[in-house]
Amino acid sequence: MSHEINFTPNTAGVTDPKGFFANGVSADIRRKGNDRLDTGIVFSKTPCAAAGVFTKNRVKAAPVLLCESVLSSSKAIHGIIANSGNANACTGEQGKIDAKAMADQAATACEVAANSFLVCSTGRIGDLLPMDRISPAIAKSGAGIVAGDTDGESFSNCILTSDTRKKTCTATFEVDGKTVTLAGSAKGAGMIQPNMATMLAFITTDIAAESAELKTLLSEAVKHTFNAITVDGDMSTNDTVLVLANGESGVALCDETREAFKEALFLICDNLADKIVADGERITKVVELLISGADTEAGAESIARCIGNSLLVKTSWFGNDPNWGRLMDALGYADSEFDPERIDISYGEVPALVSGTPIPENKPKWKEVVSAKRFTIHINMHAGEANYRLRASDLTEGYVDFNKSE
Amino acid sequence: MSHEINFTPNTAGVTDPKGFFANGVSADIRRKGNDRLDTGIVFSKTPCAAAGVFTKNRVKAAPVLLCESVLSSSKAIHGIIANSGNANACTGEQGKIDAKAMADQAATACEVAANSFLVCSTGRIGDLLPMDRISPAIAKSGAGIVAGDTDGESFSNCILTSDTRKKTCTATFEVDGKTVTLAGSAKGAGMIQPNMATMLAFITTDIAAESAELKTLLSEAVKHTFNAITVDGDMSTNDTVLVLANGESGVALCDETREAFKEALFLICDNLADKIVADGERITKVVELLISGADTEAGAESIARCIGNSLLVKTSWFGNDPNWGRLMDALGYADSEFDPERIDISYGEVPALVSGTPIPENKPKWKEVVSAKRFTIHINMHAGEANYRLRASDLTEGYVDFNKSE
């Protein structure tokens, strides 16, 4: 039995599934003296099954280590406490103490047991959290939740760093007259080439599920969405995707609903991943690289990443220059076996190279394709059956200017 | 017995060793209607032993394939014909025919046997060579050589693309009253992260040597010089280092002279590699990354390359920002085993991180170090005994502007 998925981008986000509350408040973490939202809670009174996928960076931030520990020891998760402006990474023992304090304070404020909160931080690496300002903010956020106030939008805003807009979406499907809802909120912007996770993404759902199955389905969805994007090739210390399932829809994840849930979860992850690339720091273009006919999937991925991370390729996109020579150079150092003289490349539907031979008369059309804000490059390696899709951005003078100092 | 090496940067280059002639002429390859030098010959009437190290890119330019073939079949090399402005890469069968024609025409012009010339091209990928303009230029260059004219400087200039200055150096040492000379000319600028070779570098010497031993010594020298630099992380289709040895010094490469020759060859390669980074496209800084105490040499190299190719690290250098958090993030995704809490980092001699703990009171001094045009970052992983040195550049808005279209 197939279920129709109803997908909506740019929603309130994590508060859409039944029984989830959230808000965002200001702790003035960046000490700018303004009221910019930077601290927030996602909460479910009904305890949730939960799963997470985290950065593979060997330098892991304290909240990542804490989440891994909580997820392995606790079966009843009530929420997530998150902050932006400070990553709590490379902060030694004090960083671990602070991450644990954030979880405990959030649990206390929301009147649930300790060890039921996950913690996520994002922002500058290497500074201790200003706990003197964060603790009262957590108390304020929790008090709002207990009072029944909820504001998905303020939560989705409080996790942003150099993002220019919030990133949310919601999917629903019907089972026997009951509605199952999944929703997500994410942040991205810089240090974006996730491995097994992305910057921060929070997904809530009111389906009833076991943590182990959630983990399996989340890992599958993440592989081809959050893990298949690049802005600048840098994998962060804090990359985290979390999913919380509280069961309040009255529908269980089972043989009948699994395909619909998988599809809805994929759509949520895919839309948030796309939004992260499209809002990459000062980028101007999103380029979908579709590699086909590669020797292996790892080879196809390597080709896509060599191209999507090549500075010369990315700067040529920025300049509306359909420079297929730079594509060929970049794929030539990928970890994949192929014959350069069999490769086909097309910009959108316009062939640029067929069997390694250029079609220069198409050049005006390539140029038109590359001048768009979004376009696709198809590369058929004719070396096997494997495919890979990577969404990449261009590289701009604005990116360099933005990142030359913090 | 040790021999003192006399090293001089910024010399005439490849014409310094006895019996080598060279010049550069204009074929107007870029069709700008100007007299920019773009085609040239290096020549020795005495046949040379020769060795080369080439790009590991799977997409190899036609002249790279030709050089590999000539070096494997010919024992008597008389010279090199080189051009800039067009890489003769991704040019199919016609590209191979053109590369062979360049070699044959150069041999004819210099009045030596066919199959005695090596060919190197550098410049734009994907366009056929304008042989109608290159052939007369080769004839002119060869006629000059036969007439005994020689001009190392014009040759060193004719191979440049986006380089802003020629790159040459010379080393000599004495053996029993005889002088052995080695000299090199190189070009670099963009698409610089060589693997087993660099863009183009030509080394001549008047020592007498076997090709096989030259190859061994060249490979060793290249590994820690041309192969240990990065500007933009892109490995080109044309990377080539060639050495020609004509024996005219009357000194042979043997047990007595090997150490001196190795040292001189290393100094030549090291100086040219440094010049290539320092003249990277619109870069402003050269940063020497010294990784020590890594688990393995491959691990140390991976750490250095993750840092040296991180866009966020490179932009922070451009902004004079001693952002050690970005260094920690980048080394965290290197392929190396270590404990983040044992790492020491210092900028120049100023500690920034000791056993994973920052020394914030030194920040003004880090800032001073990073503000210089050249500085060193020492990173001790405390995970083993392996070391690696990488020379990297910063990433600037000028680089993006320069490369956004060709």
Side-chain angles (χ1 to χ4, degrees):
Chain A
M1 174 180 168
S2 87
H3 303 267
E4 192 187 344
I5 311 291
N6 188 349
F7 179 81
T8 314
N10 309 323
T11 58
V14 290
T15 50
D16 280 352
K18 286 185 201 74
F20 282 96
F21 296 78
N23 64 32
V25 299
S26 176
D28 194 16
I29 289 174
R30 297 167 183 82
R31 213 188 258 291
K32 303 269 186 186
N34 60 18
D35 292 333
R36 177 170 170 169
L37 303 178
D38 56 20
T39 306
I41 287 175
V42 181
F43 180 75
S44 165
K45 195 156 182 74
T46 307
C48 302
V53 192
F54 302 96
T55 185
K56 289 285 174 274
N57 197 306
R58 271 171 223 277
V59 179
K60 292 189 207 308
V64 169
L65 297 170
L66 181 74
C67 281
E68 290 178 333
S69 158
V70 170
L71 286 173
S72 70
S73 65
S74 172
K75 294 288 166 210
I77 300 297
H78 280 286
I80 301 161
I81 168 74
N83 75 274
S84 60
N86 183 316
N88 194 9
C90 302
T91 44
E93 278 311 303
Q94 189 60 45
K96 291 174 194 163
I97 291 165
D98 292 345
K100 181 74 169 63
M102 283 178 70
D104 290 347
Q105 290 168 13
T108 301
C110 293
E111 302 176 354
V112 292
N115 205 30
S116 69
F117 258 82
L118 301 168
V119 182
C120 290
S121 298
T122 177
R124 191 175 168 96
I125 296 170
D127 292 334
L128 291 177
L129 289 172
M131 289 303 291
D132 58 326
R133 301 198 295 283
I134 290 177
S135 298
I138 294 173
K140 181 179 172 189
S141 171
I145 299 278
V146 169
D149 298 340
T150 189
D151 180 357
E153 185 153 351
S154 69
F155 176 79
S156 299
N157 282 323
C158 85
I159 59 176
L160 305 182
T161 51
S162 53
D163 309 66
T164 66
R165 49 191 181 267
K166 73 179 172 71
K167 298 167 179 65
T168 59
C169 58
T170 299
T172 62
F173 61 95
E174 304 287 322
V175 181
D176 303 331
K178 293 171 182 161
T179 302
V180 175
T181 304
L182 296 84
S185 298
K187 62 85 55 185
M191 218 175 253
I192 302 290
Q193 174 168 256
N195 182 3
M196 298 300 153
T198 184
M199 288 300 287
L200 296 183
F202 306 119
I203 300 165
T204 55
T205 177
D206 47 23
I207 205 164
E210 296 291 319
S211 299
E213 182 161 18
L214 275 184
K215 175 71 183 269
T216 304
L217 297 178
L218 181 65
S219 297
E220 276 175 32
V222 163
K223 183 178 178 193
H224 294 291
T225 56
F226 292 116
N227 277 2
I229 59 176
T230 185
V231 171
D232 52 17
D234 274 306
M235 183 206 309
S236 112
T237 47
N238 291 56
D239 294 343
T240 298
V241 182
L242 294 174
V243 57
L244 266 55
N246 69 4
E248 291 205 14
S249 65
V251 175
L253 182 56
C254 60
D255 289 347
E256 190 199 339
T257 59
R258 189 170 294 109
E259 282 311 307
F261 183 80
K262 271 179 72 167
E263 186 184 339
L265 185 63
F266 178 86
L267 289 172
I268 297 279
C269 291
D270 196 53
N271 184 263
L272 294 176
D274 190 88
K275 285 180 155 74
I276 287 173
V277 179
D279 196 25
E281 284 167 348
R282 307 291 177 89
I283 68 113
T284 68
K285 298 190 190 229
V286 177
V287 182
E288 190 174 49
L289 293 167
L290 296 177
I291 313 301
S292 62
D295 56 341
T296 60
E297 192 184 325
E301 178 172 349
S302 175
I303 289 164
R305 290 194 191 272
C306 282
I307 294 171
N309 286 320
S310 158
L311 271 59
L312 288 169
V313 168
K314 292 164 89 81
T315 51
S316 70
W317 290 338
F318 174 48
N320 301 327
D321 181 12
N323 195 321
W324 61 264
R326 291 184 185 175
L327 299 180
M328 285 293 284
D329 182 75
L331 66 81
Y333 54 78
D335 193 10
S336 178
E337 294 288 338
F338 58 83
D339 175 356
E341 297 184 1
R342 297 195 63 196
I343 296 175
D344 298 337
I345 298 180
S346 60
Y347 289 92
E349 303 304 316
V350 187
L353 209 71
V354 176
S355 300
T357 304
I359 317 288
E361 59 269 30
N362 284 345
K363 190 163 182 179
K365 289 194 221 160
W366 313 335
K367 184 106 186 148
E368 200 178 305
V369 171
V370 176
S371 300
K373 291 272 173 223
R374 275 184 182 262
F375 59 91
T376 300
I377 298 177
H378 299 263
I379 302 181
N380 191 330
M381 303 300 293
H382 293 290
E385 302 292 321
N387 303 321
Y388 193 79
R389 177 190 67 154
L390 180 74
R391 268 176 289 199
S393 70
D394 58 348
L395 175 67
T396 70
E397 290 153 286
Y399 176 92
V400 177
D401 178 56
F402 186 77
N403 283 300
K404 70 189 180 194
S405 60
E406 280 193 324
Chain B
M1 176 181 167
S2 88
H3 302 267
E4 193 188 344
I5 311 289
N6 188 349
F7 180 79
T8 315
N10 309 323
T11 57
V14 289
T15 49
D16 280 350
K18 284 184 203 74
F20 282 96
F21 295 78
N23 65 32
V25 300
S26 175
D28 194 16
I29 289 175
R30 297 166 182 83
R31 211 187 260 289
K32 303 271 185 186
N34 60 19
D35 292 331
R36 179 171 168 169
L37 303 179
D38 56 20
T39 304
I41 288 175
V42 181
F43 181 76
S44 165
K45 194 154 183 75
T46 306
C48 301
V53 191
F54 302 96
T55 185
K56 288 285 175 273
N57 197 308
R58 271 172 223 277
V59 179
K60 293 190 207 306
V64 169
L65 297 170
L66 181 74
C67 282
E68 290 178 333
S69 159
V70 170
L71 286 173
S72 70
S73 64
S74 173
K75 294 288 165 208
I77 301 297
H78 279 287
I80 302 163
I81 167 74
N83 76 275
S84 59
N86 184 317
N88 194 8
C90 301
T91 44
E93 278 311 305
Q94 188 60 45
K96 290 174 194 163
I97 292 166
D98 291 344
K100 180 73 168 63
M102 284 177 69
D104 289 346
Q105 290 167 13
T108 301
C110 292
E111 302 176 354
V112 292
N115 205 32
S116 68
F117 257 82
L118 301 168
V119 182
C120 290
S121 298
T122 177
R124 190 173 170 98
I125 295 170
D127 292 333
L128 291 177
L129 289 173
M131 289 302 291
D132 57 326
R133 299 198 296 283
I134 290 178
S135 297
I138 293 174
K140 182 179 170 189
S141 171
I145 299 277
V146 169
D149 297 341
T150 189
D151 180 356
E153 186 154 348
S154 71
F155 176 79
S156 298
N157 281 322
C158 85
I159 58 176
L160 305 181
T161 52
S162 53
D163 309 65
T164 66
R165 50 189 180 269
K166 73 179 171 72
K167 299 169 177 64
T168 58
C169 57
T170 299
T172 61
F173 60 94
E174 305 285 322
V175 182
D176 302 330
K178 294 172 182 161
T179 303
V180 175
T181 304
L182 296 83
S185 297
K187 61 86 54 185
M191 216 174 253
I192 302 289
Q193 175 169 257
N195 183 2
M196 298 300 153
T198 185
M199 289 299 288
L200 297 182
F202 306 119
I203 300 166
T204 54
T205 177
D206 47 23
I207 204 165
E210 296 292 318
S211 299
E213 182 160 20
L214 275 184
K215 176 69 183 272
T216 303
L217 297 179
L218 181 65
S219 298
E220 275 176 34
V222 163
K223 183 177 177 193
H224 294 292
T225 57
F226 292 116
N227 276 1
I229 60 176
T230 185
V231 171
D232 52 19
D234 275 306
M235 183 206 308
S236 112
T237 47
N238 291 55
D239 293 344
T240 298
V241 183
L242 295 173
V243 57
L244 267 54
N246 68 4
E248 293 206 14
S249 66
V251 175
L253 183 55
C254 60
D255 288 348
E256 190 199 339
T257 58
R258 188 170 294 108
E259 281 310 307
F261 184 80
K262 272 179 72 165
E263 187 184 339
L265 185 63
F266 178 87
L267 289 172
I268 296 280
C269 292
D270 196 53
N271 184 262
L272 294 177
D274 190 88
K275 286 179 154 74
I276 286 174
V277 178
D279 194 27
E281 285 169 347
R282 307 290 177 91
I283 68 115
T284 68
K285 294 185 194 237
V286 177
V287 182
E288 189 173 49
L289 293 167
L290 296 177
I291 312 302
S292 61
D295 56 341
T296 59
E297 192 183 326
E301 178 172 349
S302 175
I303 289 164
R305 290 195 189 273
C306 283
I307 294 171
N309 286 320
S310 159
L311 271 59
L312 288 168
V313 169
K314 290 165 89 80
T315 50
S316 69
W317 289 339
F318 174 49
N320 300 328
D321 181 11
N323 196 319
W324 61 265
R326 293 184 183 173
L327 299 180
M328 285 293 283
D329 181 76
L331 65 83
Y333 53 79
D335 192 11
S336 178
E337 296 288 338
F338 57 83
D339 175 354
E341 297 184 1
R342 298 194 64 196
I343 295 174
D344 298 338
I345 297 180
S346 61
Y347 290 91
E349 302 304 316
V350 187
L353 209 71
V354 176
S355 300
T357 304
I359 316 290
E361 58 269 31
N362 284 347
K363 190 164 181 177
K365 288 194 223 161
W366 313 334
K367 184 106 186 146
E368 199 179 305
V369 171
V370 176
S371 299
K373 291 271 171 224
R374 277 184 180 261
F375 59 91
T376 299
I377 297 177
H378 299 264
I379 302 181
N380 191 330
M381 304 301 292
H382 291 291
E385 300 293 323
N387 303 321
Y388 193 79
R389 177 189 68 154
L390 180 74
R391 269 176 288 198
S393 70
D394 58 349
L395 175 67
T396 70
E397 291 154 286
Y399 176 93
V400 176
D401 178 56
F402 186 77
N403 284 299
K404 71 189 180 195
S405 60
E406 280 193 320

